[in-house]
Amino acid sequence: MTHADQTALVTGANAGLGFDAAAQLGERGYGRVILACRTIEKAKTAREQLVERVGNDVFDVLAIDVSDLDVSKRASQELIEQGRTIDLLVLNAGLARQNLEHTAQGIEMTLAASLFGHHLLTMELLAAGRLAPDAHIVIAGSEGARGDVPTFGLPDYDAVKEAVGGDIDAAMDAVARGDQPAGYSANSTYANAKLWVAWWAAALSRRVPDGMVVVAVSPGSAPGTTFARNISAPMRLVMIPMMKVVGPLFGMAGSIAQGAQRYVDAGDFDTGASGKFWASPPGKAVGPLEVQTQAHFTDETLQEAAWDSVVRLTGAGMPGA
Ligand SMILES: NC(=O)c1ccc[n+]([C@@H]2O[C@H](COP(=O)([O-])OP(=O)(O)OC[C@H]3O[C@@H](n4cnc5c(N)ncnc54)[C@H](OP(=O)(O)O)[C@@H]3O)[C@@H](O)[C@H]2O)c1
């Protein structure tokens, strides 16, 4: 398959998996690769490094802070005004936060950076007709969302619902604001953000025009990225260095290039792959991509309730809906 006349956009393209994915897209022959980074300076620095690595200047830059809805909207408009049509969206930016933090719009930061700005960007591009008819939308998931990793437990949605008086919409909004009876846990909040990512991909796949592909894809465990800068000292100083050494021996850690390749491969998925969450085989954090089939991923009621919450809190729904 040739990508020479195609344009890809990667968020969080200045570091870790996003940087490597941008390089691989350039190496795979995409005609243009837009480096969408938190600041224009970071994007320009990434561009210089990528031109050097790839040996070909196919890179453009865009500033977007995907945790801020106003900034995401302005950046989307800037992109649209450039008249671009996007063939592949790699919605990779993400982080974890040690303590509960809120965005300017009152959304819990981990969820906002993983999903809310990405949702807004996607809705704006769809509304402007700036996604190709066979566009691929790939959003970063994580094996942590399986809920079976110690300390990465998922919220008990029945308990949250009960705490807010039995209403699922109020429960979803409470979770999105980081307002849960169980209190704040960085790991659980991260796992939950990636669960919403999987739910969002499923819900969006039911809404996009036929021919488009929407998938959540975990890059797998890649402890060599700069992700650890935002996590707790024990995780950063003990767990991550240990994972780098021991992880590869037990199928629990891989390289940045392997992780980034998962996104790039998903850019060639066929429509049958759409709506699914793709990650490592059961009990593993690397290896061939498999559809994740645990009941909490495929629960359409929760998928739709989370979708409705994202639409409510961003003020952006499907065009024409
Ligand atoms: N590494 C792993 O083992 C692993 C496993 C599963 C899933 N993931 C997911 O893979 C993705 C990339 O992670 P990584 O390991 O490559 O981490 P990383 O090295 O920390 O890179 C994260 C990227 O996201 C950007 N970003 C974060 N918040 C942003 C915001 N509000 N607006 C714009 N950009 C923002 C960062 O920009 P700045 O440099 O400006 O902060 C950076 O470019 C994340 O979604 C992560 O959850 C990673």
Side-chain angles (χ1 to χ4, degrees):
M1 178 180 290
T2 174
H3 296 292
D5 54 1
Q6 293 194 324
T7 297
L9 180 147
V10 183
T11 64
N14 59 297
L17 293 153
F19 180 87
D20 212 271
Q24 291 188 33
L25 290 166
E27 287 156 1
R28 236 180 242 205
Y30 276 79
R32 300 308 298 169
V33 181
I34 302 168
L35 311 172
C37 305
R38 198 193 295 263
T39 65
I40 203 70
E41 291 74 24
K42 287 186 181 191
K44 284 180 178 168
T45 303
R47 180 186 182 175
E48 278 169 29
Q49 294 164 342
L50 284 161
V51 171
E52 174 90 14
R53 168 166 159 183
V54 176
N56 194 4
D57 188 1
V58 294
F59 302 100
D60 294 320
V61 293
L62 179 75
I64 181 168
D65 180 336
V66 289
S67 70
D68 186 306
L69 297 177
D70 295 337
V71 174
S72 295
K73 186 150 187 168
R74 279 200 299 276
S76 306
Q77 287 306 323
E78 186 185 328
L79 185 63
I80 289 161
E81 278 159 23
Q82 290 167 3
R84 296 174 178 286
T85 297
I86 310 290
D87 298 279
L88 170 60
L89 269 183
V90 180
L91 305 174
N92 156 77
L95 45 66
R97 277 287 181 251
Q98 189 52 24
N99 299 303
L100 177 59
E101 277 178 46
H102 291 98
T103 66
Q105 292 84 22
I107 313 296
E108 185 283 316
M109 182 61 77
T110 311
L111 182 59
S114 302
L115 181 58
F116 278 58
H118 288 144
H119 170 82
L120 198 61
L121 171 65
T122 308
M123 291 304 108
E124 292 285 320
L125 289 171
L126 277 167
R130 286 292 164 197
L131 288 180
D134 58 351
H136 284 59
I137 301 166
V138 179
I139 188 162
S142 167
E143 281 78 7
R146 291 168 173 163
D148 59 2
V149 180
T151 78
F152 284 78
L154 295 165
D156 176 346
Y157 277 88
D158 288 334
V160 185
K161 202 169 131 185
E162 201 179 303
V164 297
D167 179 41
I168 185 68
D169 292 338
M172 287 296 175
D173 291 359
V175 170
R177 295 194 171 103
D179 182 13
Q180 288 182 49
Y184 186 79
S185 140
N187 290 354
S188 295
T189 300
Y190 178 75
N192 181 64
K194 296 305 189 181
L195 173 58
W196 278 52
V197 157
W199 283 342
W200 179 83
L204 178 60
S205 75
R206 291 191 278 273
R207 290 167 167 82
V208 292
D210 288 349
M212 289 191 192
V213 173
V214 189
V215 282
V217 172
S218 172
S221 167
T225 71
T226 52
F227 192 81
R229 67 197 144 134
N230 293 313
I231 62 179
S232 66
M235 287 284 280
R236 190 173 66 248
L237 302 173
V238 182
M239 280 302 290
I240 299 287
M242 204 174 77
M243 276 297 276
K244 281 187 193 169
V245 178
V246 184
L249 306 175
F250 297 97
M252 297 310 287
S255 67
I256 297 175
Q258 286 168 330
Q261 192 190 326
R262 286 181 168 193
Y263 298 147
V264 178
D265 288 347
D268 291 329
F269 278 0
D270 62 29
T271 49
S274 195
K276 311 222 164 68
F277 171 35
W278 296 80
S280 309
K284 299 283 179 204
V286 290
L289 280 174
E290 286 185 8
V291 174
Q292 308 295 294
T293 54
Q294 291 94 325
H296 61 287
F297 290 127
T298 54
D299 184 324
E300 270 199 37
T301 305
L302 290 174
Q303 290 169 356
E304 289 296 315
W307 171 269
D308 289 346
S309 177
V310 176
V311 170
R312 241 184 341 266
L313 297 177
T314 57
M318 283 297 285

